Every structure is written in structure tokens, then in C-alpha cells.
Amino acid sequence: MRLRVELVLEIDDEDAVTGAALRRIADDDGMPDEERVHAESAVAEDTAEALAQLVDPFALLGEVPGVELLQASWSGEEIDYDPDSPEWDLDEDDDDEPYDDEDGEGRVG
């Protein structure tokens, strides 16, 4: 099963987000030094990368009974957000996905 989530956030304090991401990287004892240097550089240059560093889908779903997270990918990007624009209709992708079963009962198949 694939779960898609799209979040639009407003960052009020970029320095706080960057600082939290840098602390998380520093506290990760399992991260190889070369990866750590790359992660610190990316986080320092881009708040979206800092936020992506702080998002942990494994922690989010780790306590859900009956669910084992097999793979996760995520990224962040800066955008210009206009909530009144039809471009930001969060349900726009739903037309491409078959949500009804064959008998039209509306169950996810």
C-alpha cells in the first residue's frame, strides 16, 4: 500500500528549523562522517532541506499496529503558495486513482 501525504507549511523561523536539523545530524551517531558533512552543508544552504532532515516517517508510523514501513522517500522545496489558486487543490490527484471497487461501494481496493 502507498500512502501519499502532501503538506504545505509556513516557516516562521528559518534559523530555528536549520538549528534543529543541525542538532539532529550532530546527534546521529550512526551517520558516517562523509554523509554528515554533506547533510550539514545541504541543511545550512536550504531551509527546505533542513525541514526534510527533521521529518521521520519511520518515527511517525513506527507505533501503528499491523504496519511495517518498508520504504520511504520525501523531500522539501520552497514554493509560492496561494490557497485561493485552483493549482493548490489537494484532491487534484484523486481523479487518477481508482478508489471505488468494481461494485461502486466506495471501498478502497
Side-chain angles (χ1 to χ4, degrees):
M1 175 177 286
R2 177 183 296 205
L3 172 67
R4 284 188 207 178
V5 177
E6 182 169 332
L7 302 171
V8 177
L9 308 167
E10 181 175 347
I11 305 296
D12 293 329
D13 188 343
E14 291 184 11
D15 291 336
V17 173
T18 300
L22 290 171
R23 283 188 298 280
R24 169 147 320 155
I25 293 166
D27 292 343
D28 187 347
D29 295 330
M31 185 180 290
D33 290 339
E34 186 175 308
E35 185 179 336
R36 183 182 316 277
V37 169
H38 174 72
E40 288 172 341
S41 174
V43 161
E45 292 176 19
D46 186 356
T47 305
E49 287 292 329
L51 185 60
Q53 181 70 37
L54 295 167
V55 172
D56 185 354
F58 293 94
L60 178 65
L61 295 171
E63 300 293 321
V64 176
V67 174
E68 179 181 353
L69 185 59
L70 300 176
Q71 179 180 353
S73 65
W74 64 101
S75 64
E77 64 181 321
E78 285 194 40
I79 58 166
D80 292 324
Y81 177 65
D82 177 4
D84 298 325
S85 171
E87 177 181 327
W88 290 101
D89 181 9
L90 291 179
D91 294 327
E92 72 183 29
D93 292 337
D94 290 349
D95 294 337
D96 298 338
E97 300 294 324
Y99 289 109
D100 290 334
D101 64 359
E102 292 173 4
D103 66 4
E105 292 292 319
R107 291 175 290 203
V108 176

